Amino acid sequence: MDEPITLRTPLSALSGVGPARQKALLKLGLETVADLLAYFPRDYEDRTVQHDISALPLEEPVCFAALVAEPFRTSYIRRGMELTQGRIVDGTSTVYVTFFNQSYIRSALTPGETYHFYGRLTRNGNRLQISNPHFEKEGENRLTGGIMPVYPLTAGITGHLIASLQRQASACSDQVLETLPEDLRRAYALAPVEFAYREIHFPTGWDSLEKARRRLMFEELFCLTLGLTLLRGRRGTQKAAAFVRQDIDAFTNALPFSLTDAQLRSLREAAADLAKPVPMNRLLQGDVGSGKTVVAAACAWLAKENGRQSALMAPTELLARQHARTLTDLLSPLGMTVDLLTGSMTAKQKRLCRERLESGETDLIVGTHALLSDPVDFARLGLVITDEQHRFGVDQRAALTAKAGGEGARPHVLVMSATPIPRTLALMIYGDLDLSVIDQLPPGRTPVETFLIGEDKRQRLYDFVRKLAGQGRQVYIVCPAVDQEDPEGMKAAEQYGHKLRTQVFPDLRVGIVHGRQKPKEKNAVMSAFAAGELDVLVSTTVIEVGVDVPNAALMVIEDADRFGLSQLHQLRGRVGRGKHQSYCVLLSSNRAESTRRRLKTLCSTTDGFLIAEEDLKIRGPGDFFGSRQHGLPQLKLASLEGDMRLLHQAQAAAREVLREDPDLRREDHAPLRKRVEDLFRENRDIFN
Ligand code: ADP
Ligand code: MG
């Protein structure tokens, strides 16, 4: 190396990186040494050699120190197959070692010397064996003798390469700027940045590794909170049309039912936002069936009263249609015009729809992503409502809000979600949103009865399905996968549906719907089910969100152990929406105690928040950050471990810092500010 490495050195300047690897590294988002240092292991392997061989587990990767007891010998089994064998020992056991086609090993292992070995031990009779182990001379450790980081990889990039690059990069890990002020570090017992970056890649022990991880996770959550808070603050400087006319009674009086207290509270919170000349940005959270749509409709009514149009975006065509129907029922008696725009409409239909929007004839447009496509212009868009927003990225939300146009004003935004996640986490995930919670179901609902059963009860279940169908009720049967390519043998909607239709329920009308069907096909089946033309609907989780068929009274979930608790709860929410007693049956042949306990939670409660808390305890917040497309910055470490306490600490720390330096303008906060900026790369204007 000619020049010393700095954080800005491109990885192509490190030894071992040619053009091909440079390209592959880029795929991992790695361009410079700084990127590499921030590329954290996803896991660690214990390759310390602290254990006697006799105490080591069999059939899993282990590391141990042993003495070569005899010269290794090669025998020729047949053409192209030679074995090199010998014995190694520690004070507790003897291990018979075999290498295949590696006769050079004979000279690499010297009798009487101690090496570190790494591989899987097996037992044959009372002999311990190991095949093709890695080995290194004691004191020359690269792969053994310590805690080995395991990095996320891609084609063309091996763990060895990353490790070698990290060794080179570590020369400048002391150049990484400290973002956390010292008093804050002391108050929360956080390790210094240099220690953290060294230890995360080259751990010297489990305790120090944990200290490093804690500091880096804290930093991540801390910066995330800071960024979100700043974003929220920035909203205060944006303009929106204030909906000053607030005759909510006119709306509620026209309803066929009275709103629950929780609905009223949420509506009042939203209405107060809407009355301000600043864009509302509110998350309306409520369990399935809690009645979010009515609250959204009330907001659209307020918009109309104030001469503004509203748009509601749904994640699927099916939901868009359903919303359009419900909202027409709710709003047309009040003289409002509701229209629908979806991708599958003909060009002419779309054009007419757009014309009605542009002329201002439409008061509320309901649609899918088609609403985002460019030619759509609103005469005076004042409110954007999105349903189940975790299916939309923040970007898409922004695309629609940008359509408000006119005098730099932005529309108000209401986001509806049925994912009942705890408040602190909701605020993190949905970022810069205020939160209203509908924590109460409309009166007169009978809770869904839930049962967990095994294969032995399958016939009785089928009888029950037939009995309900005989009473005119409808049944959902949900399977985890689409077809039998699935190696785990999970029930596949396609094949299973066919079997139910032809063999089990030849007397019933059975429909099949899954994500790989064309939207048209899917819609046709769903509409038939909604219209009561099918008795049984076999599906994958495409019916998870929002579908409303009040006559459905039984939800059967096959291989229920495959689903997360919250997802099961969502699925269950598809029934119990009408006046009939409804049931949910979880089928699972998984007998593991932890699985059964998890599924039993569902049988004992219908409280979505309780279930979400339970889910969170089991899976940790990482899952919420990791698997969802929420459009927020990706967290690298915080997703590895569920530590709510750390999140609360980071949030408290962020509040403290912002109290003293509301815009992070202070000189000593410069590194912190840069870090937040980097984390919110997509939101460059966060500090403007
Ligand atoms: P979700 O929160 O799951 O979107 P919906 O808005 O679809 O719930 O409401 C579920 C059902 O409850 C709808 O049929 C709706 O008309 C009805 N509903 C909503 N609010 C009330 C209420 N206050 N009283 C009676 N029924 C209500
Ligand atoms: Mg809904």
Side-chain angles (χ1 to χ4, degrees):
M1 189 67 48
D2 313 319
E3 291 171 36
I5 295 177
T6 73
L7 292 175
R8 283 204 211 129
T9 304
L11 294 179
S12 53
L14 300 189
S15 77
V17 183
R21 280 176 171 173
Q22 187 186 359
K23 231 169 147 186
L25 286 165
L26 207 56
K27 262 203 199 125
L28 295 174
L30 305 179
E31 210 174 341
T32 64
V33 164
D35 297 335
L36 188 68
L37 285 174
Y39 195 65
F40 301 136
R42 65 170 168 76
D43 204 355
Y44 295 86
E45 242 178 53
D46 188 351
R47 295 200 196 169
T48 51
V49 288
Q50 296 152 349
H51 299 290
D52 292 338
I53 294 174
S54 60
L56 290 173
L58 299 175
E59 312 279 359
E60 59 183 79
V62 288
C63 214
F64 57 90
L67 181 99
V68 175
E70 61 186 10
F72 272 57
R73 271 183 253 279
T74 299
S75 46
Y76 299 87
I77 303 299
R78 56 181 152 79
R79 231 181 132 85
M81 167 68 98
E82 48 179 53
L83 303 181
T84 302
Q85 294 176 296
R87 283 178 307 142
I88 57 176
V89 297
D90 74 351
T92 65
S93 306
T94 300
V95 179
Y96 291 80
V97 188
T98 306
F99 292 94
F100 297 95
N101 294 340
Q102 297 177 63
S103 55
Y104 67 89
I105 296 284
R106 264 182 320 207
S107 53
L109 287 169
T110 313
E113 298 246 12
T114 297
Y115 298 81
H116 289 171
F117 292 88
Y118 174 71
R120 285 167 203 271
L121 288 169
T122 57
R123 186 180 288 285
N124 186 2
N126 46 22
R127 270 191 178 195
L128 278 180
Q129 311 182 138
I130 196 165
S131 304
N132 291 338
H134 286 287
F135 62 90
E136 295 177 320
K137 204 158 188 179
E138 206 167 31
E140 293 177 356
N141 311 109
R142 293 227 135 173
L143 298 175
T144 64
I147 302 167
M148 287 292 295
V150 181
Y151 291 94
L153 301 172
T154 185
I157 302 297
T158 63
H160 285 300
L161 177 68
I162 299 274
S164 140
L165 296 179
Q166 292 291 3
R167 263 192 299 278
Q168 298 175 60
S170 66
C172 62
S173 61
D174 57 345
Q175 293 170 22
V176 180
L177 287 181
E178 177 60 89
T179 58
L180 303 180
E182 197 184 330
D183 48 345
L184 188 148
R185 258 189 9 245
R186 212 169 315 122
Y188 292 95
L190 300 164
V193 66
E194 196 192 333
F195 172 90
Y197 273 88
R198 209 172 345 105
E199 206 49 46
I200 198 89
H201 294 297
F202 303 99
T204 54
W206 293 107
D207 285 349
S208 46
L209 173 60
E210 191 41 46
K211 283 201 186 85
R213 283 174 43 78
R214 181 165 173 277
R215 181 241 141 82
L216 291 169
M217 278 165 58
F218 182 97
E219 186 177 15
E220 211 164 41
L221 295 169
F222 176 67
C223 290
L224 183 68
T225 309
L226 284 175
L228 292 174
T229 313
L230 290 168
L231 272 180
R232 193 192 304 247
R234 200 192 51 188
R235 237 196 306 133
T237 65
Q238 293 172 342
K239 287 198 212 46
F243 297 173
V244 286
R245 302 180 55 181
Q246 298 246 336
D247 189 4
I248 295 176
D249 289 348
F251 174 84
T252 50
N253 290 340
L255 286 177
F257 44 75
S258 44
L259 294 180
T260 63
D261 289 346
Q263 280 171 320
L264 271 175
R265 182 176 8 91
S266 300
L267 176 52
R268 262 188 242 115
E269 286 166 356
D273 288 353
L274 293 171
K276 291 182 203 152
V278 172
M280 167 169 85
N281 223 12
R282 185 163 287 277
L283 172 63
L284 176 63
Q285 205 182 62
D287 214 342
V288 280
S290 61
K292 296 183 287 294
T293 317
V294 190
V295 176
C299 292
W301 156 251
L302 287 177
K304 154 85 173 174
E305 262 205 304
N306 289 271
R308 294 283 163 164
Q309 292 169 299
S310 305
L312 187 150
M313 276 209 296
T316 66
E317 175 134 4
L318 189 78
L319 284 174
R321 281 177 196 287
Q322 188 182 289
H323 272 308
R325 219 177 305 125
T326 317
L327 290 163
T328 305
D329 290 349
L330 283 169
L331 295 172
S332 62
L334 289 154
M336 280 179 69
T337 313
V338 180
D339 209 349
L340 176 72
L341 178 64
T342 68
S344 73
M345 284 171 24
T346 64
K348 183 171 174 210
Q349 286 172 321
K350 284 183 197 162
R351 183 167 49 79
L352 290 174
C353 181
R354 271 185 225 121
E355 281 172 14
R356 288 191 293 270
L357 268 176
E358 283 164 31
S359 71
E361 182 187 338
T362 304
D363 295 312
L364 167 62
I365 180 85
V366 179
T368 52
H369 293 95
L371 273 179
L372 299 172
S373 64
D374 270 331
V376 183
D377 274 316
F378 294 86
R380 33 198 174 74
L381 180 64
L383 170 67
V384 172
I385 304 162
T386 63
D387 191 12
E388 304 297 346
Q389 92 118 17
H390 61 262
R391 308 260 161 143
F392 294 108
V394 169
D395 294 350
Q396 286 169 308
R397 209 170 77 204
L400 192 51
T401 49
K403 286 184 180 296
E407 319 110 47
R410 302 203 159 228
H412 298 284
V413 174
L414 181 72
V415 175
M416 300 190 283
S417 170
T419 315
I421 38 184
R423 189 181 181 90
T424 39
L425 205 56
L427 290 178
M428 293 296 275
I429 291 172
Y430 291 101
D432 53 333
L433 304 184
D434 297 312
L435 182 62
S436 290
V437 178
I438 309 184
D439 51 4
Q440 183 183 17
L441 292 184
R445 301 266 173 89
T446 353
V448 179
E449 278 189 53
T450 304
F451 305 94
L452 172 62
I453 65 168
E455 274 304 314
D456 53 321
K457 301 256 171 57
R458 183 173 286 280
Q459 195 48 53
R460 279 179 61 185
L461 172 64
Y462 288 158
D463 294 343
F464 187 52
V465 170
R466 188 170 280 108
K467 183 177 142 204
L468 282 178
Q471 295 169 357
R473 300 289 80 73
Q474 289 164 284
V475 177
Y476 291 103
I477 300 182
V478 173
C479 319
V482 181
D483 59 37
Q484 274 172 351
E485 280 161 24
D486 171 41
E488 310 255 7
M490 295 188 271
K491 289 282 175 299
E494 188 82 64
Q495 278 89 344
Y496 184 51
H498 184 73
K499 181 182 155 202
L500 287 180
R501 181 187 282 161
T502 54
Q503 294 166 32
V504 184
F505 301 123
D507 49 331
L508 299 182
R509 297 164 300 174
V510 179
I512 302 171
V513 61
H514 56 73
R516 283 199 213 158
Q517 282 165 333
K518 297 214 174 65
K520 222 171 174 173
E521 203 179 341
K522 209 159 40 183
N523 283 331
V525 182
M526 285 306 308
S527 307
F529 188 72
E533 290 155 14
L534 294 171
D535 302 300
V536 177
L537 184 67
V538 183
S539 78
T540 52
T541 52
V542 291
I543 58 145
E544 184 185 345
V545 265
V547 180
D548 194 13
V549 182
N551 189 45
L554 170 60
M555 165 64 65
V556 177
I557 304 171
E558 298 275 353
D559 294 312
D561 48 282
R562 300 282 171 176
F563 298 92
L565 278 187
S566 291
Q567 200 183 5
L568 290 170
H569 178 64
Q570 292 275 314
L571 287 168
R572 177 168 64 179
R574 301 301 109 220
V575 297
R577 303 173 80 85
K579 50 190 184 299
H580 316 286
Q581 172 62 54
S582 295
Y583 309 88
C584 174
V585 175
L586 308 173
L587 265 159
S588 169
S589 41
N590 186 322
R591 308 216 53 87
E593 185 52 38
S594 59
T595 305
R596 298 194 67 78
R597 206 171 39 227
R598 194 166 67 87
L599 293 176
K600 286 270 180 179
T601 310
L602 229 58
C603 302
S604 60
T605 181
T606 51
D607 181 334
F609 280 87
L610 239 162
I611 290 165
E613 299 268 6
E614 199 57 34
D615 217 12
L616 196 64
K617 262 189 241 156
I618 297 166
R619 300 189 299 172
D623 227 64
F624 287 103
F625 286 115
S627 59
R628 275 172 225 274
Q629 290 201 320
H630 44 62
L632 278 186
Q634 198 66 38
L635 298 182
K636 290 176 183 161
L637 277 176
S639 59
L640 293 179
E641 197 175 72
D643 192 340
M644 290 301 284
R645 242 189 87 209
L646 196 66
L647 174 59
H648 291 304
Q649 290 179 347
Q651 287 174 327
R655 273 196 299 276
E656 281 165 46
V657 165
L658 288 177
R659 198 164 38 231
E660 288 180 13
D661 183 13
D663 300 310
L664 292 188
R665 303 246 171 236
R666 247 164 51 188
E667 190 65 24
D668 58 326
H669 285 152
L672 180 57
R673 184 190 157 104
K674 172 150 192 328
R675 184 67 206 275
V676 174
E677 226 163 13
D678 285 348
L679 194 60
F680 285 79
R681 214 163 280 183
E682 321 286 287
N683 276 294
R684 269 290 173 202
D685 52 344
I686 185 168
F687 289 104
N688 297 337

